Amino acid sequence: MVAHEPPRSRLPRAERELQVLDAARALFAARGFRDVTMDAVAAAVGVTKPLLYNYFGNKEQLYLACVRRTGEELEQAVSAAVAAAPTPGEALKAALRTFFAFVERDRGAWQVLYDESLPTAGPIAEAMDGYRARIAAPVAGAFAGLGGSAVQAEALAHGQLAAAEAMSRWWLATDALPARELAELLIDTLEPGLAQRATAPAPEEGTP
Amino acid sequence: MVAHEPPRSRLPRAERELQVLDAARALFAARGFRDVTMDAVAAAVGVTKPLLYNYFGNKEQLYLACVRRTGEELEQAVSAAVAAAPTPGEALKAALRTFFAFVERDRGAWQVLYDESLPTAGPIAEAMDGYRARIAAPVAGAFAGLGGSAVQAEALAHGQLAAAEAMSRWWLATDALPARELAELLIDTLEPGLAQRATAPAPEEGTP
Amino acid sequence: MVAHEPPRSRLPRAERELQVLDAARALFAARGFRDVTMDAVAAAVGVTKPLLYNYFGNKEQLYLACVRRTGEELEQAVSAAVAAAPTPGEALKAALRTFFAFVERDRGAWQVLYDESLPTAGPIAEAMDGYRARIAAPVAGAFAGLGGSAVQAEALAHGQLAAAEAMSRWWLATDALPARELAELLIDTLEPGLAQRATAPAPEEGTP
Amino acid sequence: MVAHEPPRSRLPRAERELQVLDAARALFAARGFRDVTMDAVAAAVGVTKPLLYNYFGNKEQLYLACVRRTGEELEQAVSAAVAAAPTPGEALKAALRTFFAFVERDRGAWQVLYDESLPTAGPIAEAMDGYRARIAAPVAGAFAGLGGSAVQAEALAHGQLAAAEAMSRWWLATDALPARELAELLIDTLEPGLAQRATAPAPEEGTP
DNA sequence: AATGAATGAGGTTTCATTCAT
DNA sequence: GATGAATGAAACCTCATTCAT
């Protein structure tokens, strides 16, 4: 009655590592760091736990290995988009479009990068904070270029990045709209207000 | 057979429940569902674990009990604010102001309602989704009143509520601005874009 | 076929702790820290591991709990004997007699105190070094009072304490002599040499 | 089918065994049997674990192979020194001097021979006991020649060998005195007592 | 009304050892 | 002669949960 699993044994390390990484990332995306056990990863790949530990060290490092490539890609994509834009306003739009495009292209990758069940302390927390901060930085820069005080820009950047994340999560759950439209929707909503900020002479805060 | 020590305190059940709820909610707010053990709750209240189980059944139900009052309060506050507003534009502003004010008044309550370490399946997930949806609904209504399709309104509501949430978190961490000013900052940023939506003739979605 | 174990359940904590401590100390004495598993301790007492962790925290703390009383007793016995002696020579004799008497009185206690399979780093190593150092200190003092340079005294104290330990271990393995005679044997062997040191005018080292 | 990379080095077995033995002994000396993993040995030699198993069978046998040469050397050195001495008194001095000299010459070898983290049962324990007993025997012989019963001599031999050992360890840790002076210090301390034993009319057994 | 005592089940990690080439 | 790939077994520890009073 048991499906006769083809013997997948004795693969070269590089190949096995990719297998593990794929299986692990899928599990982490689906259930979150906390609810994925090393046993589950091992079972998904069809190997035993010690192999996982031989290759990746421990659970945190396995998680980070799942995240690394993806995280760096998103970092670079966002900062390249921002750098290439002629004005802060365009930079912000480009950043948001890049972000949503990324989410749409690889749901799993994004979910792992923005996992909400990660430990809030220790090396993993630091690494993830690093990724998120480096992704957020160019966006904050764009906001800062648009007028208002520096604190205000930071607050807005935090807020609208979270808005983008939330819209992404909502999109993952509902699939109600093409992700690209979400980018335009958010951009359209913000643009006039930001244009107005840019022309105003940036007082301490709010309206004169 | 010996009963020298008077029982620590023999409170009526209702009172004891409130005590437990307060202590538990503070813990859940500070450390998240996942990282709070029943032992920790019992120790914080000064009772033993079996009492917790007698009164609340299990950990999830205890958590839900902690959340119930808060969730209903926020639900009602937001929907009252929206209902009382003369126009969709005012409704939205009122909703955001109410939200920030609520977070400012009771950060613990707020954090429990939006705990990010909750199980993503099971009765607790459903209940929490319910609260969040009922809080988001009036906001989405306000957005919808400003033009665009219903899905777009829902997407925006989720996004800007998360923005408010993130700005609040940032406020809790930095204390860099009064929370009320954050509300105005967000409103000022959104208002022109929303005004523009309101005048445009809301097609299926997006502007022509 | 299985012996019908009398249900030993539900003992008061104090009693259970003593049971655990006895069983654990016996195991540690017989097999050494490294080779005793928490499962073995639990099985020996007839309880499950979590109880051990509830009561003692972890394996190291359980070990230290086994050692504490004994260690302090030996410390005090040795330093009291040394303090009560009129001359350094007498002090040294008293210390050695106390030491061997202790070994004879409670073989298990001594074996646990001088376990050779302990971790060489971490809290347990520090605690055990503390005990051993406090036991050695009065002996080193006695040697120092007998002439020669301070380094020489320290070297000799280290050496002869180790001699006493080794004789104790040999005694535990062979039981060939009453332990008390070992004390006298060692004392008789050292005494003339030490007396000679005491009269000599302590040059840099060796005989003038 | 591809064989671009030349094999790391295709040494004849005898040479490879020596390499392994050297690296392994250094590791065992530094960290003790328990804390050295086969992985660490393999890495230190620059070979893979299966080779270790091919050549030596298992960890215990590898350890014994590391110890064999050293153990036999020390055995022979001590017994030669004792045999060459004209009187029991000289024999003892010669034995102690040989012992200290050996430790000074090759601290690694010495530490492996007296590793304190070895299993206390099984083939390894028996083998090590054999080495230690054969090293102790000539010393005990010398003590026996100085009066007292055979058991007493054995007890003293065990004790004073341990004293030499401990002084060596202390020397390794502090470097406070030349090792040769430690030998003289111990000899000077013991000599008068032993001389006295020699003149006293040895009761139980021994020479009149 | 409340407790002290106890556990089942499962998690991460380590290590000596072997298989197939 | 030597290796890359892989594993079985067991260790420490944690936590939600229940039993008997």
Side-chain angles (χ1 to χ4, degrees):
Chain A
M1 296 311 169
V2 184
H4 193 61
E5 303 249 0
R8 234 173 312 162
S9 316
R10 304 272 146 189
L11 286 133
R13 173 161 181 163
E15 222 168 302
R16 190 63 99 192
E17 280 186 346
L18 285 181
Q19 249 189 36
V20 171
L21 250 15
D22 282 348
R25 218 191 56 182
L27 283 174
F28 284 135
R31 298 203 219 132
F33 180 78
R34 266 318 215 304
D35 288 343
V36 172
T37 69
M38 291 301 262
D39 265 314
V41 176
V45 187
V47 296
T48 54
K49 273 184 294 180
L51 182 141
L52 266 33
Y53 283 90
N54 262 344
Y55 285 6
F56 297 95
N58 62 30
K59 190 181 173 185
E60 294 208 336
Q61 284 175 255
L62 171 58
Y63 188 86
L64 288 176
C66 288
V67 159
R68 187 158 303 128
R69 207 186 26 182
T70 297
E72 284 166 7
E73 272 175 34
L74 181 52
E75 263 176 56
Q76 285 168 16
V78 170
S79 76
V82 164
T87 67
E90 290 304 312
L92 186 58
K93 292 190 205 173
L96 290 175
R97 286 189 184 113
T98 305
F99 186 88
F100 280 102
F102 183 89
V103 177
E104 189 164 38
R105 175 154 28 94
D106 189 344
R107 315 162 79 105
W110 185 83
Q111 278 172 305
V112 170
L113 206 44
Y114 285 81
D115 187 343
E116 293 180 326
S117 76
L118 292 173
T120 52
I124 218 177
E126 280 160 40
M128 300 309 294
D129 283 354
Y131 285 118
R132 291 176 191 165
R134 283 190 298 277
I135 291 163
V139 178
F143 270 103
L146 282 166
S149 69
V151 250
Q152 287 182 338
E154 208 188 320
L156 277 176
H158 272 267
Q160 294 307 317
L161 230 20
E165 282 173 40
M167 289 170 91
S168 300
R169 254 187 263 280
W170 175 85
W171 173 76
L172 285 168
T174 63
D175 239 326
L177 279 175
R180 204 172 329 125
E181 281 186 26
L182 289 176
E184 301 311 320
L185 181 60
L186 184 54
I187 288 170
D188 289 349
T189 306
L190 295 174
E191 199 167 32
L194 296 176
Q196 194 163 308
R197 284 175 73 79
T199 61
E204 280 313 270
E205 68 248 344
T207 44
Chain B
M1 303 314 164
V2 195
H4 292 306
E5 306 250 359
R8 194 72 49 84
S9 63
R10 215 29 107 100
L11 268 65
R13 172 155 180 165
E15 217 166 314
R16 192 57 106 190
E17 281 188 346
L18 284 181
Q19 254 188 31
V20 171
L21 253 17
D22 281 348
R25 217 189 55 183
L27 277 178
F28 284 132
R31 303 214 280 263
F33 180 78
R34 260 341 201 297
D35 291 343
V36 172
T37 68
M38 292 298 263
D39 265 311
V41 176
V45 191
V47 298
T48 55
K49 275 185 292 183
L51 182 139
L52 263 33
Y53 284 88
N54 270 344
Y55 282 9
F56 299 95
N58 63 28
K59 191 183 173 186
E60 295 207 340
Q61 285 175 261
L62 170 59
Y63 189 86
L64 286 176
C66 289
V67 159
R68 186 158 301 131
R69 203 184 29 177
T70 298
E72 285 165 5
E73 271 175 36
L74 182 53
E75 265 177 52
Q76 286 167 18
V78 171
S79 74
V82 165
T87 69
E90 289 305 313
L92 187 59
K93 293 190 201 175
L96 290 176
R97 287 191 185 110
T98 304
F99 188 89
F100 276 99
F102 187 89
V103 173
E104 186 169 35
R105 190 168 60 239
D106 187 348
R107 54 177 289 173
W110 150 253
Q111 281 172 310
V112 169
L113 209 42
Y114 285 79
D115 188 341
E116 294 180 328
S117 75
L118 292 172
T120 53
I124 213 176
E126 282 160 40
M128 300 308 293
D129 281 353
Y131 285 116
R132 290 176 193 157
R134 284 192 297 278
I135 291 163
V139 179
F143 271 106
L146 285 166
S149 67
V151 253
Q152 287 182 335
E154 209 186 320
L156 277 176
H158 270 90
Q160 295 306 318
L161 235 19
E165 185 185 328
M167 290 169 89
S168 302
R169 251 192 255 280
W170 178 83
W171 166 72
L172 288 171
T174 65
D175 240 323
L177 281 176
R180 207 172 326 126
E181 284 184 23
L182 286 176
E184 301 312 319
L185 178 61
L186 182 57
I187 288 170
D188 290 348
T189 306
L190 295 175
E191 202 164 33
L194 296 175
Q196 195 163 305
R197 283 173 75 80
T199 61
E204 281 313 90
E205 61 257 342
T207 42
Chain C
M1 295 312 170
V2 184
H4 193 62
E5 303 249 358
R8 233 172 313 161
S9 317
R10 305 272 145 189
L11 285 125
R13 172 162 183 161
E15 221 168 303
R16 191 61 101 189
E17 281 186 345
L18 285 180
Q19 250 189 33
V20 171
L21 251 15
D22 282 348
R25 218 189 58 181
L27 282 174
F28 284 134
R31 301 214 274 261
F33 180 77
R34 267 317 215 304
D35 289 343
V36 172
T37 70
M38 291 301 262
D39 265 314
V41 176
V45 188
V47 296
T48 55
K49 271 184 298 182
L51 182 141
L52 266 34
Y53 284 92
N54 261 345
Y55 285 6
F56 297 96
N58 62 29
K59 190 182 172 185
E60 294 207 336
Q61 285 175 257
L62 171 58
Y63 188 86
L64 288 176
C66 288
V67 160
R68 184 158 305 129
R69 205 187 27 184
T70 297
E72 285 165 8
E73 273 175 35
L74 180 52
E75 264 177 55
Q76 285 168 17
V78 170
S79 76
V82 165
T87 68
E90 289 305 311
L92 185 59
K93 292 192 205 173
L96 290 176
R97 286 190 184 113
T98 305
F99 185 88
F100 280 101
F102 182 89
V103 177
E104 189 163 41
R105 174 151 29 93
D106 188 344
R107 314 163 79 105
W110 186 82
Q111 277 172 305
V112 170
L113 205 46
Y114 283 81
D115 187 345
E116 293 181 328
S117 76
L118 291 173
T120 52
I124 217 177
E126 281 161 40
M128 300 308 294
D129 283 354
Y131 285 119
R132 291 176 192 165
R134 284 190 297 277
I135 291 164
V139 177
F143 269 103
L146 282 167
S149 69
V151 249
Q152 287 183 337
E154 209 188 319
L156 278 177
H158 271 269
Q160 295 307 317
L161 230 21
E165 280 173 42
M167 290 170 90
S168 300
R169 254 187 263 282
W170 176 85
W171 174 75
L172 285 168
T174 63
D175 239 326
L177 280 174
R180 204 171 329 124
E181 280 186 26
L182 289 176
E184 300 312 319
L185 182 60
L186 184 54
I187 287 170
D188 289 349
T189 305
L190 295 174
E191 198 165 33
L194 297 175
Q196 196 163 308
R197 285 175 71 78
T199 60
E204 279 315 87
E205 64 250 346
T207 43
Chain D
M1 302 311 167
V2 195
H4 292 304
E5 305 250 359
R8 195 71 50 82
S9 65
R10 211 40 100 99
L11 269 65
R13 171 155 182 165
E15 218 166 314
R16 191 60 104 193
E17 280 188 345
L18 283 181
Q19 255 188 30
V20 171
L21 253 17
D22 281 349
R25 217 189 56 184
L27 277 178
F28 284 133
R31 304 215 279 264
F33 180 78
R34 260 340 200 298
D35 291 343
V36 171
T37 68
M38 291 300 262
D39 265 312
V41 176
V45 191
V47 297
T48 55
K49 275 185 292 181
L51 183 140
L52 265 33
Y53 284 90
N54 269 344
Y55 283 9
F56 298 96
N58 63 29
K59 191 182 174 186
E60 294 206 341
Q61 285 174 260
L62 170 59
Y63 189 86
L64 287 176
C66 289
V67 158
R68 186 159 303 130
R69 204 183 29 179
T70 299
E72 285 165 7
E73 272 176 35
L74 182 52
E75 265 177 53
Q76 285 167 18
V78 171
S79 74
V82 164
T87 68
E90 288 306 311
L92 186 59
K93 292 189 200 175
L96 290 175
R97 286 188 185 114
T98 304
F99 189 89
F100 275 99
F102 187 89
V103 173
E104 187 170 34
R105 190 168 60 240
D106 187 349
R107 54 178 286 176
W110 150 254
Q111 279 172 312
V112 170
L113 210 43
Y114 285 79
D115 188 341
E116 293 180 330
S117 75
L118 292 171
T120 52
I124 212 176
E126 281 161 38
M128 300 308 294
D129 283 353
Y131 285 116
R132 291 176 192 154
R134 283 191 299 278
I135 291 164
V139 179
F143 271 106
L146 287 165
S149 68
V151 254
Q152 287 183 336
E154 208 187 321
L156 277 177
H158 269 91
Q160 294 308 316
L161 236 18
E165 184 184 331
M167 290 170 89
S168 302
R169 250 191 255 282
W170 177 84
W171 166 72
L172 288 171
T174 65
D175 240 324
L177 280 176
R180 204 169 331 125
E181 282 184 22
L182 287 175
E184 301 312 316
L185 179 61
L186 182 55
I187 287 171
D188 289 350
T189 306
L190 295 175
E191 201 164 31
L194 297 175
Q196 194 162 306
R197 281 174 75 79
T199 60
E204 289 310 274
E205 62 253 347
T207 44

